[in-house]
Amino acid sequence: MFRETALSNMAGSKTVLEGRVSIKSFILGFCVILIPIISSLTSHVSWVSDYLTGAGGKVTIAVYLVVINSFLLVVYKGPIYKVAVRACFLGFTFGCGLLISLSQTTWTHFGWYMCSLSFFHYSEYLVTAMINPQSLSLDSFLLNHSLEYNVAALSSWLEFTVEVLLVPELKQWRWLSLMGLLMVVCGECLRKHPSYVGWFYWSIGTQVVLCNPVCVLGYTLASWRFFRERIEEEEMSLILFFGPEYLEYKQKVPTGLPFIQGMCLEP
């Protein structure tokens, strides 16, 4: 008993350390936002837009990324470094997204998207470290979720790029992007409780933010089909395990997803 308790405490200490390292690394990456602020104090360059469009600004940001990752490589070793470098990259992406969000260009809404995407993946890891440290791993970042997830993300980036070049006015519907941002925020909050509902609306919201009509439709159909199948599979296991008690609960609590009722069985 004592040995099991000691091992449990050691595991808990390790996960706490990983959580703390991830926070520090995320903040370190996020500090990229300080570069244009410092530059604006020492020159006549506009705080964001002119700095980001200039070659010097892009080179400086790239050098910053190399420097902080080299620093992490020196400070952390092994598995801890893998946590640190992922959290740092997500913080860096969040910072760059915020910089783009503050610029008055056709890419402004893509900055909102970058912030939403990077925060989602980092918060997944951090929340797991806080409430379920026993299952904490690099997979908790969900960066390697699935091939389908990666293809969907690349498709949304491609659509946004093509449309911003060919029909830039399509990306200027600010009210629509704000609606998408609200969906993202609400979905993110729900994701940390009834996760399927939150992820469903979060994923669609990211495409509304980008004003991607093709991916809005594609994400909606793909997410709906995925969660319908997943809910039916999981409900079958719950019914077999809990029996009539779960069926009674199911009748009182809806799935929260449109036109998805789950298993249709009578107690």
Side-chain angles (χ1 to χ4, degrees):
M1 178 65 70
F2 174 79
R3 184 171 180 271
E4 292 178 353
T5 302
L7 290 174
S8 177
N9 290 336
M10 289 175 63
S13 298
K14 181 180 178 182
T15 54
V16 169
L17 173 62
E18 290 171 342
R20 290 177 178 175
V21 167
S22 74
I23 294 174
K24 295 175 183 178
S25 302
F26 184 88
I27 293 174
L28 185 62
F30 175 74
C31 284
V32 67
I33 196 175
L34 298 178
I35 295 178
I37 296 178
I38 296 174
S39 177
S40 66
L41 296 177
T42 58
S43 67
H44 298 291
V45 177
S46 175
W47 181 53
V48 176
S49 58
D50 293 344
Y51 191 84
L52 290 177
T53 55
K58 295 176 182 177
V59 170
T60 304
I61 291 176
V63 170
Y64 177 79
L65 181 61
V66 172
V67 170
I68 59 176
N69 276 278
S70 300
F71 171 77
L72 293 176
L73 187 59
V74 172
V75 175
Y76 302 114
K77 303 295 182 182
I80 294 296
Y81 169 74
K82 294 180 180 180
V83 171
V85 74
R86 285 164 174 77
C88 180
F89 172 74
L90 292 173
F92 177 82
T93 303
F94 187 90
C96 289
L98 187 58
L99 289 175
I100 296 174
S101 299
L102 297 174
S103 63
Q104 299 300 319
T105 69
T106 52
W107 290 83
T108 299
H109 298 156
F110 194 83
W112 297 4
Y113 167 81
M114 290 174 62
C115 291
S116 302
L117 189 65
S118 57
F119 181 79
F120 168 79
H121 285 285
Y122 176 67
S123 64
E124 287 292 304
Y125 184 88
L126 185 61
V127 169
T128 302
M130 294 171 61
I131 66 175
N132 191 20
Q134 293 80 9
S135 65
L136 186 66
S137 69
L138 291 177
D139 290 338
S140 300
F141 282 109
L142 296 185
L143 292 173
N144 57 340
H145 181 268
S146 65
L147 176 62
E148 293 78 6
Y149 180 83
N150 294 333
V151 170
L154 289 173
S155 299
S156 69
W157 303 346
L158 179 61
E159 180 183 351
F160 184 89
T161 303
V162 170
E163 291 173 351
V164 82
L165 294 175
L166 299 181
V167 282
E169 60 275 7
L170 179 63
K171 305 303 180 183
Q172 300 306 306
W173 293 0
R174 190 175 182 85
W175 64 270
L176 185 61
S177 291
L178 286 172
M179 182 187 301
L181 189 61
L182 180 62
M183 291 177 63
V184 165
V185 173
C186 293
E188 180 70 47
C189 294
L190 288 172
R191 166 67 181 167
K192 302 306 182 278
H193 302 289
S195 60
Y196 287 168
V197 177
W199 200 343
F200 177 79
Y201 291 108
W202 176 88
S203 64
I204 299 173
T206 60
Q207 300 311 299
V208 178
V209 167
L210 294 177
C211 298
N212 281 352
V214 175
C215 280
V216 166
L217 179 60
Y219 272 51
T220 301
L221 294 177
S223 298
W224 185 86
R225 180 178 180 181
F226 172 80
F227 288 121
R228 183 195 64 180
E229 295 175 352
R230 178 63 66 87
I231 287 175
E232 289 180 353
E233 292 175 359
E234 292 192 358
E235 284 197 340
M236 178 62 71
S237 300
L238 291 170
I239 291 171
L240 292 175
F241 187 83
F242 291 104
E245 292 182 7
Y246 179 75
L247 290 174
E248 183 178 352
Y249 168 83
K250 174 177 164 53
Q251 291 179 346
K252 298 178 181 179
V253 182
T255 63
L257 296 171
F259 307 110
I260 297 180
Q261 303 299 325
M263 299 293 297
C264 296
L265 297 175
E266 295 296 333

